[in-house]
Amino acid sequence: MTQIIDGKRIAQEIKDEQKRQAELLREAGKEVALAVIQVGEDPASTVYVNNKKKACAYIGIRSLSYELPEDTSEAELLALIEELNEDDEVNGILVQLPLPPQINADRVIRAISPKKDVDGFHPENVGKLAIGEPGFVSCTPAGIIQLLKRSGIRIEGAHCVIIGRSNIVGKPMALLMLRENATVTVTHSKTKNLKEICREADILIAALGKPQFITSEYVREGAVVIDVGIHRDADNKLCGDVKYDEVSPHTSAITPVPGGVGPMTIAMLMNNCIEAVLM
């Protein structure tokens, strides 16, 4: 019988653990504070930012909100980041992506102090992940590791196939799975024989950004399938990169959309905020 991996339950479990950690830090005279910067009023970004604020409130992390107009210049945003970098009371800085076209996202990511880069996007933190040193890890891949571990799924020795090579999910996911002693194959839009490679996976992680692209033809019987995608289908219902109803009967475990990977991203962001105080 297929195990439906409950991301909501696991994320709540993690947030409850973080709430206790935040209480202990306050008792020790340390407060966790996250600065969240949003430029413009992109509706999806607003939803994400509000969810982050709610998670902060639940755990006991102080949330500092900076809502900047759409026409904010890159220089103005960089000046704010520098001010927050110098503020000893701010532990984490998050700039919500995407940014308006007049702002270079790469320059913004590099401007955030690596010690406050709770998104785990700064090249220094990515480099630390690559060589196995402690540092902030991109939240979605870190959340997937927790989903697997807390669902009793063995990673060590498993063949993990990742579809997608983005800097935010695919590449750090590969590094994390290697850290957990999996054998890793990274596939992408130029990969030949994609179906055949995917069918060799014990753990298949779909992060390609194409709605319902992964059908049962890509999945070996009994594989674990992790769906990172989130889209709207023709009926305006949320769906992932995986054709869930067709694929799930062939799996030993699978994440649904919604309620799978999504809740874990914010839970791991909160985890990074607490780690910022402990580092």
Side-chain angles (χ1 to χ4, degrees):
M1 186 174 176
T2 300
Q3 175 187 359
I4 310 302
I5 299 173
D6 189 345
K8 283 184 179 177
R9 179 189 62 77
I10 295 170
Q12 187 60 49
E13 184 181 290
I14 291 170
K15 285 190 284 188
D16 287 340
E17 292 168 8
Q18 293 163 349
K19 190 174 184 177
R20 289 192 289 275
Q21 277 189 295
E23 286 171 2
L24 291 171
L25 285 169
R26 278 195 301 277
E27 288 170 9
K30 298 176 182 178
E31 185 175 26
V32 188
L34 170 67
V36 181
I37 304 170
Q38 181 180 356
V39 183
E41 298 178 351
D42 177 76
S45 291
T46 300
V47 170
Y48 292 142
V49 167
N50 287 338
N51 286 340
K52 288 164 187 173
K53 289 177 184 174
K54 286 177 188 174
C56 284
Y58 178 81
I59 292 163
I61 294 173
R62 188 159 63 98
S63 177
L64 308 172
S65 183
Y66 297 87
E67 295 165 0
L68 307 181
E70 185 82 23
D71 61 357
T72 297
S73 70
E74 184 177 298
E76 288 170 322
L77 177 55
L78 292 175
L80 173 58
I81 290 169
E82 187 55 36
E83 183 183 316
L84 294 169
N85 280 340
E86 298 298 322
D87 188 341
D88 291 338
E89 292 188 0
V90 174
N91 311 107
I93 301 170
L94 183 150
V95 178
Q96 183 64 45
L97 303 177
L99 291 164
Q102 75 273 14
I103 300 175
N104 182 298
D106 186 56
R107 275 198 287 270
V108 168
I109 288 167
R110 289 169 181 268
I112 297 169
S113 166
K115 294 179 181 178
K116 299 188 178 187
D117 167 43
V118 288
D119 260 334
F121 295 163
H122 193 284
E124 184 174 316
N125 283 318
V126 176
K128 284 181 175 179
L129 174 60
I131 63 174
E133 287 189 4
F136 293 117
V137 177
S138 185
C139 300
T140 299
I144 290 168
I145 294 293
Q146 288 299 313
L147 277 180
L148 293 168
K149 286 185 171 182
R150 291 175 186 243
S151 299
I153 294 164
R154 184 178 175 84
I155 302 174
E156 184 174 342
H159 181 198
C160 173
V161 174
I162 300 163
I163 315 173
R165 53 178 170 178
S166 73
N167 290 337
I168 293 173
V169 180
K171 289 175 185 173
M173 189 76 252
L175 291 168
L176 282 176
M177 294 300 282
L178 284 171
R179 183 185 284 186
E180 297 294 332
N181 297 314
T183 299
V184 181
T185 302
V186 179
T187 67
H188 46 79
S189 59
K190 305 299 183 186
T191 299
K192 295 177 181 178
N193 304 321
L194 181 62
K195 285 181 184 177
E196 289 81 356
I197 293 169
C198 289
R199 288 182 67 86
E200 294 173 1
D202 300 309
I203 301 171
L204 180 64
I205 300 176
L208 65 159
K210 291 187 177 181
Q212 299 183 326
F213 182 88
I214 302 301
T215 63
S216 58
E217 294 177 327
Y218 289 80
V219 179
R220 179 180 63 74
E221 203 71 28
V224 174
V225 175
I226 305 294
D227 190 350
V228 182
I230 185 157
H231 317 276
R232 294 277 178 181
D233 66 13
D235 299 319
N236 203 37
K237 290 182 179 177
L238 287 172
C239 66
D241 289 349
V242 175
K243 202 164 187 178
Y244 182 85
D245 290 341
E246 179 184 316
V247 169
S248 60
H250 301 281
T251 65
S252 59
I254 189 169
T255 57
V257 176
V261 172
M264 296 298 294
T265 300
I266 291 178
M268 298 315 294
L269 171 66
M270 299 296 106
N271 185 72
N272 281 351
C273 291
I274 290 172
E275 287 294 321
V277 180
L278 299 174
M279 279 181 176

